[in-house]
Amino acid sequence: MFFTIPHKGIEQSNIDINKDSIGREKPQRIVSLSPGNTEILFALSAGDRVVGVASYSDYPEDAKNKPSIGGYHAPDVEKILSLAPDLVIAMGEVQVKYIQSLKRAGIVVVSVEPKNMQEILDAIDIISAAIGEQERGVALRSELEHKLSEVRRVTANSTSKRVFLEVWDSPLLTVGNKSFINDIINQAGGINVAAERNVDYTPCDIETLYSYDPDAYVVISHSRNASRAFINKADFADMAAVKNQQIAAINDDLLTRPGPRSFTGLVKLAEILHPEAIKDGEIK
Amino acid sequence: MKLLIQKPVIFISLSAMLLAIIAIYMLTIGTASIPVHTVLSIILEKLLGIHNQDIPTTQQTIVWNFRGQRIALAMIVGSGLAVSGTCFQTMFKNPLADPFILGVSSGAALGASIAIVTGRTDCMIVLAFTGAILSLAMVYFLGQQSMHNSSDQQLLLAGIACGAMLNAMLSALMALNSQQMQMIVFWLMGSLTNYVDTLMPVFVIVSIGVMVVMLFARDLDVMALGDEDARFLGVDVDKVKPLLLIVTSLMTGACVSVSGIIGFIGLIVPHIVRKIVGTTHLVILPLSAIFGAIFLLLADGLTRMVPLMSGIPVGVVTALFGSPFFLYILYATGRRLR
């Protein structure tokens, strides 16, 4: 028995999952094919049943000790099979051919690839159903929904801030509206200045950045020192974000990796954008 | 036209004027809409100190610092690559030679990628330059061991082999660091939009490079006949060639380290210039520099003028428009010969 949920049809396929899962033993050997899925599995308290993870699965700490099955873009099918999983949690499009190989080998594959905050919640439903942790799933979902609604509540009366999100400094990259991060910005009461671009990551030249004149400049830190030089140069002194000292950094995993921690990233971003509305640590 | 080509000084001066006009025109183009007369006032004020109207500092910053830097970078890189290309094609007597043929670009790309995956983007330019120089040193050391007639081929082969190895290492690095893959890819496609604070050193390296190559223009004329003939005519090929190789590769390395890999300029500009003015290097070299600068300015201008192309790196544009243009030139010359 196996089933695959294309990420676009999450709603309908959801029903099949629940039907299929009824009367089925809880999977005991789970392999996760993306760092985000690993985080969801651990958040559903299924960490001890995870026997293999994609590389970069570095959260929570315990995930680092799990055997790696290679990068998410090229998982090692043979290695996965050798782990004898009874469930593989995969991504969508990018892993289609690997999912096919696994299914041919008779492995149960569930695939989720959230593209926005709502789809993370849906992915949690799907995964919790597939691993038989529905109760924990409901709890996690409502915890995260609470964060989302709290952020919406406290930012409701604030004016939206225009944000430039620096994915990388050289070459300078930002996010268009196809990116998952674009949705986090919107939910956090911000407006992505590059939202008119119909792409995921996209290069941006200095002049365009300057003429966007964002209210806030948020750097994805890539675990580096947050105060990187370039925006602090004298040439940018006239930018609103620099004048108002609205320059901040957020750890990349909180923004780029769809999972439970994306909601932590959301709260962090909301705190950066609306310091007047949110007191320190108000939203837990 | 014929008269112009027979009087190279006039032709070179006219080309230089064309370059200046295009450069000034490019200063008026960008995402921020700044009126042409404001741009001209800013240029007059910055260059000649003539103050005729009060201009907001933001507009001054955009025109002089951001656009100015980008245009300067385009001109420096364009001329550096074109002059290196001219030099390589003559020295190797190979019409396919371009500034990247000795693996300089692969070395630079590897250096830049190491900077990206280790998160040290502040050292990116230095690492890219180091990579370029190390790969050149390796190619030269391995390739020049036999200094006889076939040493050119030897060097080219060493360059291609070394480039293949470095590219493989680059691919491996990208596969192992999939999270940074997009950043590396965008760097590889070449771009003039980065905030570069090492413009001056690059400018110095490229202008010294162009001057040194110009000093050997007559030697290059002779070397085009063949190394044996050149020796016979009194050119110390064994000394001149290594010197020029090092100078041009330093230029290429400096250009690649700030702009990423911008292909095609070093290949087609020299050919176009030769088709117009013949084979005298004293004329070809300065014209290559000027046309290289013009070509890259126009390619970069396209990415700013055509909204559809705004997300496309300039290195892609040069190949996209350079190739058909070059093919047309080949076609036209072929027809004339027939």
Side-chain angles (χ1 to χ4, degrees):
Chain A
M1 180 197 69
F2 47 79
F3 39 81
T4 304
I5 301 106
H7 69 276
K8 276 172 192 142
I10 277 174
E11 296 296 340
Q12 302 150 318
S13 322
N14 207 355
I15 303 158
D16 300 338
I17 293 265
N18 291 331
K19 223 188 294 171
D20 279 343
S21 306
I22 292 168
R24 197 159 79 84
E25 293 287 311
K26 275 188 179 185
Q28 294 303 318
R29 298 184 64 79
I30 307 170
V31 168
S32 156
L33 297 195
S34 80
N37 289 346
T38 307
E39 290 192 23
I40 294 179
L41 285 168
F42 274 83
L44 291 170
S45 328
D48 49 345
R49 289 190 271 150
V50 173
V51 294
V53 295
S55 48
Y56 291 116
S57 290
D58 49 10
Y59 186 89
E61 205 56 34
D62 285 345
K64 289 184 188 168
N65 305 325
K66 302 287 181 183
S68 166
I69 51 88
Y72 73 85
H73 59 289
D76 183 344
V77 173
E78 219 168 284
K79 172 88 189 186
I80 297 171
L81 293 179
S82 75
L83 292 168
D86 47 13
L87 178 66
V88 169
I89 309 283
M91 293 171 77
E93 285 163 277
V94 292
Q95 292 179 340
V96 164
K97 59 177 182 183
Y98 304 101
I99 294 171
Q100 279 169 353
S101 313
L102 287 169
K103 280 163 67 173
R104 261 197 304 263
I107 307 276
V108 184
V109 181
V110 169
S111 75
V112 291
E113 193 171 330
K115 298 282 192 200
N116 55 46
M117 303 302 268
Q118 184 56 47
E119 286 184 13
I120 296 178
L121 298 174
D122 296 340
I124 288 170
D125 286 346
I126 293 169
I127 294 177
S128 59
I131 63 172
E133 292 284 356
Q134 284 91 337
E135 227 168 273
R136 182 74 193 102
V138 171
L140 179 62
R141 185 184 171 122
S142 68
E143 180 193 329
L144 299 177
E145 271 176 338
H146 174 71
K147 274 187 187 169
L148 187 58
S149 62
E150 276 297 282
V151 167
R152 283 192 185 139
R153 185 179 61 79
V154 294
T155 59
N157 297 324
S158 313
T159 41
S160 288
K161 288 264 178 68
R162 299 173 64 256
V163 193
F164 183 89
L165 197 117
E166 179 198 299
V167 174
W168 194 254
D169 57 345
S170 133
L172 182 63
L173 299 181
T174 186
V175 290
N177 62 32
K178 290 262 175 72
S179 165
F180 170 71
I181 299 173
N182 189 58
D183 189 50
I184 304 191
I185 296 175
N186 290 338
Q187 305 285 359
I191 298 168
N192 176 12
V193 288
E196 88 279 358
R197 303 192 193 193
N198 216 0
V199 287
D200 188 356
Y201 287 177
T202 172
C204 179
D205 63 76
I206 301 289
E207 184 184 336
T208 309
L209 161 64
Y210 199 83
S211 38
Y212 281 146
D213 195 23
D215 302 319
Y217 189 92
V218 177
V219 180
I220 295 187
S221 68
H222 297 277
S223 8
R224 301 184 291 184
N225 192 349
S227 60
R228 272 177 299 158
F230 122 79
I231 193 69
N232 298 318
K233 301 259 188 222
D235 283 343
F236 298 95
D238 285 329
M239 249 169 53
V242 179
K243 265 193 264 179
N244 309 329
Q245 299 184 324
Q246 281 278 297
I247 299 169
I250 295 187
N251 183 317
D252 41 334
D253 291 345
L254 298 184
L255 291 187
T256 57
R257 185 184 290 181
R261 282 199 297 161
S262 304
F263 292 81
T264 315
L266 168 73
V267 172
K268 279 234 163 84
L269 190 60
E271 282 170 355
I272 291 167
L273 299 182
H274 304 287
E276 74 293 337
I278 305 174
K279 288 176 219 85
D280 259 354
E282 185 188 359
I283 305 173
K284 284 278 171 354
Chain B
M1 189 68 188
K2 202 166 185 189
L3 183 79
L4 282 182
I5 294 166
Q6 280 163 356
K7 293 205 190 285
V9 179
I10 304 178
F11 191 59
I12 293 172
S13 326
L14 284 179
S15 310
M17 273 163 63
L18 180 67
L19 172 62
I21 292 168
I22 292 177
I24 290 172
Y25 176 64
M26 289 301 165
L27 277 175
T28 65
I29 298 173
T31 32
S33 57
I34 300 174
V36 178
H37 63 87
T38 315
V39 174
L40 291 178
S41 310
I42 295 172
I43 298 171
L44 285 178
E45 186 174 334
K46 297 283 183 183
L47 278 183
L48 309 169
I50 303 167
H51 182 84
N52 55 0
Q53 71 177 100
D54 285 320
I55 300 156
T57 47
T58 48
Q59 294 193 343
Q60 293 194 22
T61 311
I62 288 181
V63 172
W64 195 250
N65 297 27
F66 298 153
R67 291 186 193 170
Q69 184 201 275
R70 185 168 175 171
I71 282 157
L73 197 61
M75 293 198 286
I76 295 168
V77 171
S79 31
L81 292 178
V83 169
S84 304
T86 309
C87 216
F88 275 42
Q89 285 167 11
T90 303
M91 281 192 294
F92 292 125
K93 291 166 279 297
N94 185 335
L96 293 176
D98 76 352
F100 302 144
I101 203 157
L102 293 187
V104 173
S105 59
S106 314
L110 191 63
S113 311
I114 289 173
I116 289 176
V117 297
T118 53
R120 296 303 305 270
T121 39
D122 45 342
C123 308
M124 194 151 117
I125 292 174
V126 177
L127 275 171
F129 189 65
T130 316
I133 300 309
L134 285 180
S135 66
L136 172 77
M138 185 159 73
V139 168
Y140 196 70
F141 176 74
L142 296 173
Q144 60 104 51
Q145 290 299 322
S146 54
M147 256 301 171
H148 51 81
N149 280 349
S150 66
S151 68
D152 286 343
Q153 265 72 17
Q154 195 100 355
L155 209 55
L156 289 182
L157 285 173
I160 287 164
C162 185
M165 182 185 77
L166 292 170
N167 281 337
M169 287 161 75
L170 176 67
S171 304
L173 202 66
M174 281 164 77
L176 291 175
N177 296 277
S178 48
Q179 287 193 322
Q180 267 97 24
M181 191 130 63
Q182 293 206 9
M183 294 85 177
I184 299 178
V185 168
F186 277 116
W187 188 89
L188 288 178
M189 291 196 285
S191 161
L192 298 167
T193 62
N194 294 337
Y195 192 84
V196 175
D197 39 16
T198 47
L199 198 62
M200 213 47 193
V202 177
F203 174 69
V204 170
I205 292 177
V206 171
S207 32
I208 292 179
V210 172
M211 278 188 277
V212 171
V213 176
M214 284 292 291
L215 287 177
F216 289 94
R218 298 223 178 269
D219 291 359
L220 280 170
D221 286 346
V222 182
M223 280 160 73
L225 302 171
D227 287 1
E228 282 309 308
D229 288 339
R231 277 198 194 92
F232 185 68
L233 290 167
V235 176
D236 192 349
V237 178
D238 297 340
K239 280 212 182 101
V240 172
K241 206 185 247 184
L243 177 75
L244 286 179
L245 271 180
I246 290 167
V247 168
T248 46
S249 298
L250 278 174
M251 272 201 282
T252 313
C255 293
V256 173
S257 68
V258 286
S259 69
I261 296 169
I262 297 181
F264 235 70
I265 289 188
L267 181 69
I268 66 168
V269 169
H271 282 294
I272 291 170
V273 169
R274 270 196 216 98
K275 291 226 186 307
I276 302 175
V277 294
T279 53
T280 316
H281 280 83
L282 217 45
V283 183
I284 304 177
L285 288 169
L287 273 181
S288 292
I290 293 169
F291 279 113
I294 291 179
F295 186 52
L296 195 50
L297 269 182
L298 289 178
D300 182 48
L302 271 180
T303 67
R304 285 184 290 170
M305 284 184 280
V306 185
L308 189 67
M309 301 183 65
S310 64
I312 301 178
V314 71
V316 178
V317 179
T318 53
L320 205 60
F321 288 88
S323 322
F325 181 57
F326 190 49
L327 285 171
Y328 169 73
I329 298 232
L330 287 179
Y331 171 76
T333 351
R335 270 171 61 114
R336 219 182 306 138
L337 289 176
R338 209 145 35 111

